[in-house]
Each structure stands twice: as structure tokens, then as C-alpha cells.
Amino acid sequence: MEKFHHEALEVAKAVARVIALALDLEVDFFDKPEMLGKPIATLRLLHYEGQISDPSKGIFGAGAHSDYGLITLLVTDDVMGLQICKDKDAKPQVWEYVAPIKGAFIVNLGDMLERWSNCLFKSTLHRVLGNGQERYSIAYFVEPSHECLVECLPTCKSEKNPPQFPPIRCDTYLSQRYKDTHADLSVYNKHQT
């Protein structure tokens, strides 16, 4: 796992360099110490039981969501299950399966990259549907260092496209997102006493 963690981080940095070029930034823009020089990188081993999902009844392997951070690298086994929605604002949403490719990473763009790029890049809305087979995957979440200031990138704003989000430190942003999406267990504890 340590070897995978190290090698996945190098892949994430290479992907970040491609993103930098796509945004007309210097290729090493995200390599700065306050960005991916000292990143927050979390590896999660995932196991989906062999249940069958039924979206019409709200039964999923993992419900629809986008990841908070910069990017997420995914490695999966050969069992189909991951779906993405290319236009998360569409009504109705259209979901497509992502075919697993042996030896390849799937790259999900995160909400932080959407914010940083002033919505030029959209975060990947995704979910997992169970098909009756067990499924395994590895999610590798990559964020910049806690001290990084996430603000509209200079190449992503103009007079006609001003910044849509105020600047925010990475640690503040992640704490806010966590608080917004997780239950406050202190409320539960108060009711128990």
C-alpha cells in the first residue's frame, strides 16, 4: 500500500501538470510546496457487497456525489458499477457506465478544481450501482496542502467571466465541506444523556 500510495501520488502530479497546461498555466503550477509539493493524499480501499442496486428505490452501492478535492484517482477490478453523469445540471440526469480498464486509472475531477478553474472544469458527478457481484476499488483522493489558498486561477477569469467563488484556504474549505455533508454526532450524544 505504501508503494501504491507513492506511485499514485506521482501519477496525480502528472495529471495535475496536464490540467495546468489545459488551463494555460505553467506546467509546474501545481508542483509548488503549498499545492502538491506537500499534498493531502488519502487512500481508501473500497468493497461493494454483491447486492443489486435499484436507483428507483434509492438503493445504490454509493449514491451520486462529487469529491471535494482537486482530483481522485480510481483503480477498479473488472466488475462494472461506476457511473458518471457528464452534465450534473441536466434534468433528467443521464448516467453512463465507466468501463474498467486493466492497469489504468480513472480520473475524477473534484469540486476544488471546479472552484479553482472558475467552473471551466466541472467536478465529476458519479455513483456506483451494484449488479449482484462483489466489487473492489481503490480511491486515491488528492488535495493541496492545508495552507494552500484556493482562488480563481489567473487564466480562468476575465471581465466577462469574473471569479464565482471567494478565495479560501484549503483546510477551511475541506472542513466546511465535511461539516456540510456529515452528521453532527454531538446532537446525538446530547439526546443520549
Side-chain angles (χ1 to χ4, degrees), residues 3-93:
K3 181 179 178 189
F4 179 88
H5 193 289
H6 174 75
E7 291 177 3
L9 181 57
E10 292 308 308
V11 171
K13 289 179 178 182
V15 170
R17 290 180 192 111
V18 171
I19 291 168
L21 291 174
L23 294 172
D24 279 334
L25 299 166
E26 293 294 320
V27 68
D28 60 352
F29 181 84
F30 292 107
D31 290 337
K32 298 172 188 166
E34 68 275 14
M35 293 186 184
L36 295 182
K38 295 181 183 175
I40 304 164
T42 307
L43 182 120
R44 184 179 294 162
L45 303 176
L46 300 166
H47 171 241
Y48 300 92
E49 295 181 9
Q51 297 179 346
I52 297 176
S53 294
D54 186 346
S56 67
K57 294 180 181 175
I59 301 171
F60 301 93
H65 66 284
S66 55
D67 298 330
Y68 305 156
L70 181 65
I71 59 172
T72 302
L73 301 179
L74 295 167
V75 178
T76 66
D77 60 14
D78 60 353
V79 177
M80 291 286 277
L82 178 65
Q83 291 186 323
I84 61 168
C85 177
K86 290 182 182 175
D87 184 356
K88 58 187 173 184
D89 298 321
K91 301 289 184 224
Q93 292 176 328

Side-chain angles (χ1 to χ4, degrees), residues 29-30 34-36 40 68-70 110-119 142-154 157 163-177:
F29 181 84
F30 292 107
E34 68 275 14
M35 293 186 184
L36 295 182
I40 304 164
Y68 305 156
L70 181 65
D111 297 335
M112 188 179 295
L113 180 58
E114 182 171 327
R115 182 182 186 111
W116 234 334
S117 71
N118 209 23
C119 299
V142 181
E143 280 82 71
S145 73
H146 282 289
E147 297 79 26
C148 182
L149 185 64
V150 179
E151 61 183 329
C152 184
L153 297 167
K157 60 185 174 182
Q164 297 181 40
F165 308 98
I168 190 168
R169 271 179 48 128
C170 179
D171 58 352
T172 304
Y173 170 78
L174 292 174
S175 294
Q176 176 185 319
R177 290 301 310 275

